[in-house]
Amino acid sequence: MRRGIAATALVAALALAATACGGDTKDGGSSGAKADGELSGTVTWWDTSNDAEKASFQKIAEAFTAKHPKVTVKYVNVPYGDAQNKVKNAFSSGSEAPDVIRADVGWVADFASLGYLSEVPAETAKKVDAEFLPQAAASGKYEGKTYAVPQVIDTMGLFYNKKMLADAGVQPPKTLEELKTAAAAIKAKTGKAGLYLRGDDSYWFLPLIYGEGGDLVDARTKTVTVDNAAGVKAFKAARDLVTSGAAITNATDGWTNMQTAFKTGEAAMMINGPWAVADSYAGDQFKDKANLGIAAVPAGSVKAGAPQGGHDLAVYAGSKNIAAANAFVDYMTSQEVQVQSAKELSLLPTRTAAYEQADVKSNEMVTFFKPAVDKAVERAWIPENGSLFEPLKVEYTKAVTGASSPEDAAKAAGVEFRKILKGWK
């Protein structure tokens, strides 16, 4: 049974959280949150959370009206894969654009550079710098100004089926070589795959390139690095996991195939993040939640590495209700709401003090992922960040499935990156 609290207790707790909502006049002339009781109108929030999370977030969002009864929250769930382009189209046209968006951390600089986001109120910006994890705060900034407030932070880990590994007599692998050995033992014992490697999303490529000591780009020197020696090794590592028999993969519908394979025991391991915990618990293999294990992403030939991810909340610069929208962001990123999200969904807070709360301390998944987040690799917070992932996805999928050689995939990715990052080496 999923953890939770009674609805009345939840509303009471969230109403208390909403009392913290508010802010001063926003720099640049737009008003911030007004005094309690003065807010009215509709706040439309586009949320990109997954199927296992969205009901909880909708409930929390709509409880905002417990403190601000004259405000209506219009909750819209936008599938993550469609969200970046859908948000850009809505913002650029101004037609039916949301007041608040849940943005992947890699999108904020892009949206801000295009003038789509309202700068957060000065007092909120000060609180973000003082009260939030510094690496989370960094994701909401562009050219020294704060345009988004961190909602959740995450990274990746190795999810594993404890029983399947124990039956095969293996421990969670610490390196890719150990993973191949463990996978062979699992196959011999159970006839099942060791790992499901997601092959249709370039985010899953990042641990591989970090593991070879590389990165996609070097923003400091404005250099594309995806096609250097480390990048080629990363593409080779991805392909090798499949050709060695250690991993199964699919070029399409990767999330569904990966989650299904892991939840049904067709694959003993997968690389994923905190956002997958609630959905994984819903699988037959994890009716006993204690059977779900999490370990660090296996290291490549150089080191272990996983990306810093997460989601921020930002207000549309063209919103007709910026005061209420800013108050809503304050509420959704409050400590009380973050603690509730950790308790219900095992999502990691961005507020430092939230980690001292009992419901966060007692969550095994959160306590594992927090040290991993502290070691996660920060991506380059550049406007083009999100645009790099589509050409990388194409080449990663080709390399994983054998449609291209690792060398050709790396080279092609580099060519496309330089088209996007005009003037970069």
Side-chain angles (χ1 to χ4, degrees):
M1 181 176 179
R2 285 186 59 184
R3 292 161 293 170
I5 59 175
T8 53
L10 173 64
V11 172
L14 298 183
L16 178 63
T19 63
C21 296
D24 294 337
T25 300
K26 178 183 146 330
D27 292 344
S30 298
S31 62
K34 299 177 183 178
D36 286 346
E38 294 182 2
L39 297 177
S40 62
T42 299
V43 172
T44 299
W45 178 38
W46 282 10
D47 172 38
T48 59
S49 61
N50 63 35
D51 288 344
E53 300 168 343
K54 63 185 182 183
S56 180
F57 276 128
Q58 181 173 3
K59 177 176 60 176
I60 291 172
E62 291 175 349
F64 177 69
T65 59
K67 179 60 181 175
H68 299 288
K70 294 183 179 180
V71 177
T72 298
V73 174
K74 182 179 179 182
Y75 174 89
V76 180
N77 185 263
V78 180
Y80 176 83
D82 303 330
Q84 187 176 10
N85 288 333
K86 188 170 182 177
V87 168
K88 275 189 172 182
N89 290 337
F91 283 173
S92 63
S93 67
S95 175
E96 298 184 2
D99 299 287
V100 179
I101 59 166
R102 184 181 194 246
D104 182 280
V105 291
W107 303 346
V108 174
D110 182 20
F111 293 161
S113 73
L114 295 170
Y116 293 155
L117 303 184
S118 172
E119 189 180 345
V120 306
E123 283 303 308
T124 300
K126 290 178 183 177
K127 289 178 180 178
V128 169
D129 289 338
E131 300 174 9
F132 287 69
L133 300 173
Q135 66 270 45
S139 70
K141 296 181 184 296
Y142 175 67
E143 293 188 341
K145 297 179 179 179
T146 303
Y147 288 93
V149 182
Q151 181 199 26
V152 295
I153 190 169
D154 59 54
T155 189
M156 305 179 89
L158 181 74
F159 285 50
Y160 64 95
N161 185 316
K162 291 181 181 178
K163 184 178 185 302
M164 289 182 72
L165 266 64
D167 287 347
V170 296
Q171 297 295 318
K174 295 180 180 179
T175 67
L176 293 183
E177 288 303 314
E178 288 183 6
L179 191 154
K180 289 191 289 185
T181 301
I186 291 166
K187 182 75 171 179
K189 180 67 177 181
T190 67
K192 306 299 184 181
L195 176 77
Y196 190 101
L197 177 65
R198 188 170 184 189
D200 72 331
D201 192 311
S202 48
Y203 196 65
W204 271 253
F205 176 72
L206 296 183
L208 296 169
I209 195 167
Y210 297 156
E212 300 304 328
D215 205 337
L216 303 184
V217 299
D218 183 338
R220 184 181 58 84
T221 61
K222 294 190 174 182
T223 303
V224 172
T225 55
V226 69
D227 54 355
N228 65 13
V232 173
K233 287 181 180 178
F235 282 109
K236 285 182 177 179
R239 181 59 182 158
D240 180 58
L241 285 172
V242 177
T243 57
S244 69
I248 55 174
T249 191
N250 196 300
T252 59
D253 205 13
W255 172 263
T256 299
N257 287 324
M258 174 177 61
Q259 288 297 114
T260 299
F262 186 64
K263 291 189 294 184
T264 60
E266 288 300 312
M269 295 175 281
M270 67 175 179
I271 295 172
N272 224 320
W275 59 87
V277 171
D279 185 59
S280 297
Y281 280 151
D284 290 342
Q285 291 289 308
F286 306 103
K287 288 180 179 178
D288 177 3
K289 292 181 179 179
N291 192 40
L292 176 62
I294 307 284
V297 172
S301 65
V302 176
K303 63 178 183 178
Q308 177 197 324
H311 295 274
D312 299 341
L313 298 187
V315 174
Y316 173 44
S319 170
K320 296 179 181 179
N321 204 358
I322 283 183
N326 279 326
F328 178 76
V329 169
D330 286 348
Y331 161 74
M332 289 299 296
T333 58
S334 66
Q335 179 169 298
E336 290 84 355
V337 167
Q338 291 196 9
V339 170
Q340 186 64 33
S341 298
K343 180 179 180 180
E344 287 197 347
L345 302 170
S346 295
L347 297 178
L348 275 71
T350 54
R351 286 182 173 268
T352 306
Y355 288 91
E356 299 303 316
Q357 302 302 306
D359 285 334
V360 178
K361 283 184 172 182
S362 63
N363 187 298
E364 182 182 1
M365 296 300 164
V366 172
T367 56
F368 167 79
F369 273 108
K370 177 55 168 60
V373 160
D374 291 340
K375 297 177 183 177
V377 180
E378 278 194 56
R379 286 175 280 163
W381 304 126
I382 56 176
E384 300 86 356
N385 195 320
S387 300
L388 301 177
F389 279 79
E390 183 57 35
L392 180 59
K393 170 187 171 180
V394 171
E395 300 309 323
Y396 173 58
T397 299
K398 287 180 180 179
V400 168
T401 59
S404 286
S405 70
E407 292 82 1
D408 287 345
K411 182 178 180 180
V415 168
E416 294 303 314
F417 276 27
R418 290 181 181 87
K419 289 179 182 178
I420 295 168
L421 298 165
K422 296 178 175 62
W424 283 44
K425 294 180 283 184

